[in-house]
Amino acid sequence: MADVPDGDSGREYPRRRPLGGTFMTADTNTGSSGALAGVVQGGPRAGMVDLGPGYLDADLVPVTLIGRWATVALEHWGAGALAYGADAGPLPLRAFLAARVAALGATACGPDNVMTTGGTSQALDYLAARLSREGRVVLTEALTYDLGRLIFEERGVRTVAVTGPADDLDPAEFAHAIKQAVRVTGQPPALYLIPTFHNPTGRVISADRGTEILTLAHEAGALLIEDQAYAGLSYEPAGPPPPLWHSAPDPERVISLYSFAKCLAPGLRVGWLVSGERAVAGLAADATRRSGGGPSHFAAMVIAGGCLTSELDEHVATVREQLGHRRDVLLAALEGHLPDGFLVRRPAGGFFAWIDVPKAVDDEALLRDAEHAGVSFAAGRRFGASARGVRLCFAACGPRMLEQGATRFLHACQMAVACD
């Protein structure tokens, strides 16, 4: 796709690196807005700039590339690509992912530390079923991924949001919550955290804070589940910190969750987890896997086909470049223009920008007014009762649409202040 000059600002957006007809464009991916009705989750609303859902823009989904990888997988592995897959997932893909994780920290990581999953949601559901059987409580950050919390709760697992600031964790509060959970259930709890490019706030916890949380969990015998779905999407030269798993006193009690949904294509339903070898072997021995093999096997083999070339890494680098630019476009349109009391938190990676709102502004009322102005987003209270802000997703819209959405959002914020 060629450079598209912006008629309002005169800005030219950077040329997308072509990967052999890789990207699906808004004009070619649907044919018409009704073509995908009942096929995909959600969909565009006429006249609405939607900064709410955490979707990857269809324009960044490598349709042609994935088709080519599917051909590679079928030619290279034949019927094996269509068989019941290995219980822990296909070895070629696990070896590739292990090498990628090993490069992030000092702790050795091999294929036996990796298990493929049907995406992060499926992995959370699988872990939630185990925690429910064990009678454990799950402790979360004060603000966290709302559907992650719901997955635990629908499995009958009680979740407890631990008090703390939006941009950090409070170790003293976690220590208190761990003691309470043990007292009530007689079992050490599990901790569900999003340490890197947090959903919804975009923040990254410091290495020191991560060490404190790991120490608390280890001393209590707790299981720590770290959701690293966005960790591969860093837009700053320093890159993301290593996963907590690399610093864990006992790697068997830390499970790191990853996903291809945010950097490749959500419909593949492929993710992976990393833990100690004994923990992974135990998880892979689940009866469902022994009955049907690893989930999403063909999709996993398609990605394995991509690992035979350099195309997967090239594609992820291109997505990072494009999303980093979109982040910058959105923030440039907002910074310096928001009313007093509104504050933009600049994320170093991920999909989301968090906007603090004044105490006098109700986030859900702001959302209603914003939708009347033609822009939508996620109200903060979706993610926790203590929220004082809103979440804007910059991953699902192109630069021009983001500028338009920012203009409408600013208008809604100004109206909210004027009506206060």
Side-chain angles (χ1 to χ4, degrees):
M1 182 179 291
D3 293 349
V4 181
D6 181 274
D8 296 328
S9 67
R11 180 185 299 119
E12 286 195 350
Y13 299 114
R15 183 180 299 274
R16 185 172 295 122
R17 291 182 289 174
L19 293 177
T22 290
F23 291 102
M24 175 171 66
T25 69
D27 292 333
T28 61
N29 66 2
T30 62
S32 68
S33 60
L36 297 182
V39 174
V40 301
Q41 185 181 66
R45 291 182 281 172
M48 184 70 68
V49 179
D50 201 345
L51 308 180
Y55 295 157
L56 183 67
D57 186 357
D59 195 34
L60 299 179
V61 174
V63 174
T64 303
L65 195 59
I66 290 172
R68 188 155 70 240
W69 295 349
T71 299
V72 169
L74 291 170
E75 290 178 349
H76 193 80
W77 289 288
L82 299 169
Y84 288 121
D87 293 352
L91 180 60
L93 181 57
R94 289 190 291 120
F96 175 85
L97 296 172
R100 178 176 277 186
V101 173
L104 298 174
T107 303
C109 182
D112 289 342
N113 294 107
V114 177
M115 184 178 85
T116 63
T117 68
T120 299
S121 296
Q122 184 270 344
L124 286 174
D125 182 66
Y126 179 59
L127 293 171
R130 288 197 161 211
L131 293 170
S132 179
R133 291 194 297 269
E134 295 168 1
R136 298 221 225 175
V137 167
V138 170
L139 307 182
T140 75
E141 296 152 275
L143 302 184
T144 194
Y145 175 44
D146 57 326
L147 297 179
R149 183 190 293 118
L150 186 60
I151 288 170
F152 287 116
E153 292 175 348
E154 287 192 345
R155 283 289 189 175
V157 178
R158 180 177 169 235
T159 64
V160 176
V162 178
T163 302
D167 59 351
D168 201 357
L169 303 174
D170 188 328
E173 291 290 344
F174 266 95
H176 176 70
I178 289 171
K179 290 178 181 176
Q180 285 285 95
V182 172
R183 186 159 44 245
V184 170
T185 67
Q187 298 283 339
L191 281 60
Y192 171 64
L193 307 178
I194 309 174
T196 306
F197 310 139
H198 182 261
N199 180 9
T201 66
R203 68 98 176 93
V204 178
I205 64 169
S206 69
D208 287 346
R209 186 68 77 233
T211 298
E212 289 180 277
I213 294 297
L214 281 168
T215 300
L216 282 174
H218 179 70
E219 290 175 348
L223 173 69
L224 196 155
I225 303 167
E226 57 169 337
D227 188 337
Q228 295 279 5
Y230 301 93
L233 297 174
S234 174
Y235 311 133
E236 304 297 338
L244 297 178
W245 180 78
H246 271 298
S247 303
D250 183 359
E252 301 289 340
R253 293 213 300 262
V254 177
I255 297 177
S256 303
L257 304 179
Y258 297 87
S259 176
F260 283 108
K262 309 305 180 184
C263 65
L264 188 56
L268 291 171
R269 303 310 301 154
V270 177
W272 71 99
L273 64 79
V274 177
S275 190
E277 291 185 6
R278 293 193 309 277
V280 169
L283 292 168
D286 179 81
T288 301
R289 285 178 175 259
R290 287 188 285 119
S291 172
S296 305
H297 175 63
F298 178 63
M301 295 305 294
V302 169
I303 299 173
C307 297
L308 295 177
T309 73
S310 62
E311 290 177 321
L312 176 59
D313 286 334
E314 282 186 47
H315 169 72
V316 174
T318 300
V319 170
R320 280 198 299 265
E321 174 188 323
Q322 292 295 317
L323 292 183
H325 175 64
R326 293 175 190 212
R327 175 204 61 178
D328 293 344
V329 167
L330 177 64
L331 297 192
L334 294 175
E335 289 172 337
H337 302 290
L338 285 162
D340 289 345
F342 288 82
L343 174 67
V344 181
R345 295 184 183 269
R346 181 181 181 84
F351 273 20
F352 309 114
W354 180 260
I355 314 294
D356 291 319
V357 303
K359 290 183 179 180
V361 173
D362 179 272
D363 58 345
E364 293 177 341
L366 178 62
L367 174 59
R368 289 192 296 271
D369 292 341
E371 291 199 336
H372 285 302
V375 62
S376 189
F377 51 83
R381 271 181 284 181
R382 268 185 50 183
F383 309 101
S386 63
R388 292 300 319 157
V390 299
R391 188 194 76 178
L392 308 184
C393 176
F394 51 80
C397 298
R400 192 176 284 170
M401 190 75 76
L402 288 170
E403 290 185 327
Q404 185 178 56
T407 298
R408 296 176 182 182
F409 178 72
L410 287 169
H411 175 73
C413 293
Q414 290 157 0
M415 291 297 293
V417 172
C419 294
D420 178 38

